[in-house]
Amino acid sequence: MPSVAVKLYSVFFKLLLRRRLQSRLQSLSSDQSPSATSFGVSSRPEESTAPPNPSFASDGVATKDIHIDPLTSLSIRIFLPDPSRLSASTPPVRRNSFPSHPHPVAPSPPSDPNNRRASFDVTAAYTGYLPTSDPRKRVGSRRLPVIIQFHGGAFVMGSSESAANDLFCRRIAKLCEAIVIAVGYRLAPESRYPAAFDDGFKVINWIAKQANLAGFGKSVGSMDPFGASMVEPWLAAHADPSRCVLLGVSCGANIADYVARKLVKSRNLIDPVRVVAQVLMYPFFIGTAPTQSELKLANSYFYDKQMCILAWKLFLPENEFSLDHPAANPLVPDRGPPLKCMPPTLTVVAEHDWMKDRAIAYSEALRKVNVDAPVLEYKDTVHEFATLDILLKTPQAQACAEDVAIWVKKYISTRGHELSY
C-alpha cells in the first residue's frame, strides 16, 4: 500500500484539484472572445515553474524555451544532455538526420591534450558549438535521438516548464542520452479538443521543418541572416529526427497515441521525422463500460473517477462529450488506423490506478496484432507515481525511469532496430 504521507498528500491534492476543476467549469462564459480561445494558455500562474537554464552547470542538462507558433500559446522546452558527458562511442550519423551545422559555428576553446573531456565553460549558455576542436574527440557532433514528451494534468493544468516536469525530463534526457522536447500544449477549457492533440502534431511538423531548413542551409553552403535565424542551433547540431520517440504522461499519453496514429496516416508528409516507438505512462483512458479496476478503485489516490469525468467535460466540446470519445477510449471501433500499423508501445501502469485495466487492454490489443507492446506494472504505486512532484524522488519513480530508458534504447540505438513507423 502507498505510504501514509502519500495518502495524506492525496487527500489535499484531490481537494485542490476538485476546487480548480469546478472553478474552471464555473468560469466558462459566453463572452470569451474567439481570439483568446484560439490563442489559449499553456500554463497556470498558480503552478510552480523551473526557469530554463541554457548551460550544463547544474546537472549536465541545458534547457531553453521556444514559442513555436505565433498564433497560439504552443511552446516547447528543449532538454539537451551535455554531449561531453555521454558514452564515449560516437555512433554513425543515420540517414535523414539533421545535417551538420548550416550556420557558422562558434570556435571551440582550446582543449587539454591530457584530458579526453571537452574543456569548454559549462557555466556559459550553450549555443550549439562543438566542445572540442580535435576531430578525433568531437563528441559534440554526436547525433542524439529525440524524445517528444507530453505532460500530464488532466488536460487543464500542468506545463512543459513546471518544476516536476522539468526534473522528470532531465532524468529521461540523461538516462536515454537523448534530446527531450517537452510540449507546452494548450490547456482546457480555454482550448478544448482537438487543440492539445493538434499541438502535438504541430511539434512534429516543426521538427521536420527544422531538419529541412538545416538541410537546405548545408546544400546551398550558406544562408541569409533571416534563414539562419529560423534554424534552431541545438537541434541542428545534435538532433537525429529519424529516431524519435513519443512519451506521454497521464493525459499526455492520450496525446502521444493520437500523434502516433496520425503519423501512421501521414508518414510521407513529415520526412525526415520517423517515430520508432512510444511510451504511454498511466494513460488517461476511460470508457462507458466500466472495467474491473474502475469498479474496485474508482475512489483511488490523486485522480478519482468523478474528477476525471469532470476533466473530460472541460476538455471535450459539449456537443461531443462521451466517455467513448476516440480521444478517451482507445478501443472504440473504427478509431483507425489498423493497430498493426502502430509503433512499438511500452505501457506503464500503477497498481492503485483505476485507469490501469483499459491501458492494459489496449496493450493486449496491440500484442494480438504482433506489435511489441509490453506492460510494466509497479506495486504499491498510484497514478503519476513517477512524475508527480512529491513522488519524483521515490525509488519507484527512479526505477520506472530506468526501465523506460532500457526499453527505449532498443529502438533508438543505431546498432539496434533500424525500422521506423
Side-chain angles (χ1 to χ4, degrees):
M1 294 293 291
S3 67
V4 175
V6 170
K7 292 179 180 179
L8 290 175
Y9 187 81
S10 174
V11 172
F12 291 106
F13 181 91
K14 289 166 75 171
L15 288 173
L16 180 61
L17 178 59
R18 182 177 288 107
R19 180 180 301 175
R20 286 180 176 177
L21 292 176
Q22 291 173 345
S23 174
R24 303 273 182 245
L25 194 62
Q26 294 169 359
S27 67
L28 291 177
S29 56
S30 58
D31 61 351
Q32 189 176 26
S33 66
S35 60
T37 303
S38 61
F39 190 83
V41 298
S42 57
S43 62
R44 301 291 182 194
E46 65 269 19
E47 297 176 10
S48 62
T49 60
N53 183 2
S55 72
F56 299 124
S58 58
D59 62 350
V61 178
T63 61
K64 70 161 67 170
D65 293 337
I66 304 176
H67 181 207
I68 66 172
D69 184 4
L71 301 179
T72 71
S73 60
L74 173 62
S75 64
I76 61 171
R77 173 165 290 188
I78 301 178
F79 296 79
L80 174 67
D82 185 348
S84 69
R85 301 188 191 183
L86 302 182
S87 54
S89 60
T90 304
V93 178
R94 286 164 56 97
R95 180 172 53 88
N96 289 331
S97 64
F98 279 90
S100 298
H101 308 273
H103 49 80
V105 177
S108 304
S111 58
D112 183 355
N114 298 319
N115 186 357
R116 294 184 62 85
R117 175 166 292 186
S119 58
F120 59 95
D121 182 7
V122 297
T123 62
Y126 182 69
T127 57
Y129 57 78
L130 298 176
T132 174
S133 57
D134 187 342
R136 295 170 298 177
K137 303 176 183 178
R138 203 167 270 182
V139 295
S141 63
R142 173 177 173 180
R143 298 294 172 179
L144 302 178
V146 179
I147 297 177
I148 304 164
Q149 189 260 359
F150 304 94
H151 65 81
F155 296 114
V156 300
M157 59 185 184
S159 73
S160 60
E161 57 196 41
S162 71
N165 198 69
D166 184 87
L167 181 57
F168 172 72
C169 289
R170 288 176 179 275
R171 179 178 290 172
I172 292 296
K174 288 188 289 186
L175 289 173
C176 294
E177 297 189 346
I179 296 172
V180 174
I181 298 179
V183 180
Y185 55 84
R186 287 170 288 172
L187 302 176
E190 292 86 350
S191 303
R192 298 200 182 209
Y193 174 87
F197 287 59
D198 289 344
D199 287 349
F201 199 70
K202 283 181 182 178
V203 172
I204 297 291
N205 281 304
W206 180 82
I207 295 172
K209 178 181 177 181
Q210 287 296 315
N212 291 326
L213 279 172
F216 175 77
K218 182 181 180 182
S219 64
V220 300
S222 63
M223 296 178 69
D224 59 77
F226 177 76
S229 69
M230 298 293 289
V231 177
E232 165 46 47
W234 290 10
L235 298 187
H238 299 290
D240 179 359
S242 69
R243 294 182 290 156
C244 283
V245 175
L246 305 177
L247 190 159
V249 174
S250 188
C251 65
N254 298 49
I255 300 175
D257 189 63
Y258 167 87
V259 171
R261 288 172 180 268
K262 193 164 183 178
L263 284 170
V264 169
K265 298 177 182 178
S266 312
R267 59 180 303 172
N268 294 329
L269 303 179
I270 48 132
D271 190 70
V273 174
R274 295 289 181 269
V275 170
V276 298
Q278 68 170 340
V279 179
L280 308 180
M281 299 182 67
Y282 21 82
F284 206 64
F285 294 153
I286 197 171
T288 302
T291 64
Q292 190 64 31
S293 64
E294 289 177 15
L295 294 172
K296 182 180 179 181
L297 302 168
N299 195 35
S300 59
Y301 306 97
F302 294 99
Y303 293 87
D304 62 40
K305 187 174 181 179
Q306 288 305 313
M307 281 195 295
C308 291
I309 291 176
L310 180 56
W312 280 109
K313 288 182 178 179
L314 288 168
F315 178 65
L316 294 174
E318 292 183 15
N319 60 345
E320 294 185 36
F321 177 75
S322 169
L323 297 184
D324 284 330
H325 191 283
N329 189 345
L331 297 175
V332 293
D334 303 322
R335 190 167 180 248
L339 291 181
K340 64 180 180 180
C341 300
M342 294 296 286
T345 302
L346 172 66
T347 302
V348 174
V349 296
E351 181 184 9
H352 299 286
D353 183 3
W354 65 267
M355 292 177 269
K356 68 176 182 178
D357 279 1
R358 207 172 301 273
I360 294 172
Y362 181 48
S363 182
E364 290 174 349
L366 290 170
R367 289 198 299 275
K368 286 179 180 179
V369 292
N370 297 319
V371 175
D372 181 19
V375 175
L376 297 179
E377 181 173 1
Y378 292 82
K379 298 292 184 181
D380 299 325
T381 55
V382 298
H383 191 81
E384 287 221 51
F385 73 92
T387 46
L388 204 62
D389 51 2
I390 193 177
L391 304 174
L392 264 170
K393 296 183 180 180
T394 61
Q396 294 98 325
Q398 181 66 37
C400 177
E402 293 172 356
D403 292 341
V404 167
I406 291 171
W407 185 84
V408 164
K409 283 183 176 180
K410 292 196 308 180
Y411 293 98
I412 60 176
S413 170
T414 54
R415 293 177 293 275
H417 297 259
E418 296 293 329
L419 294 177
S420 58
Y421 294 79

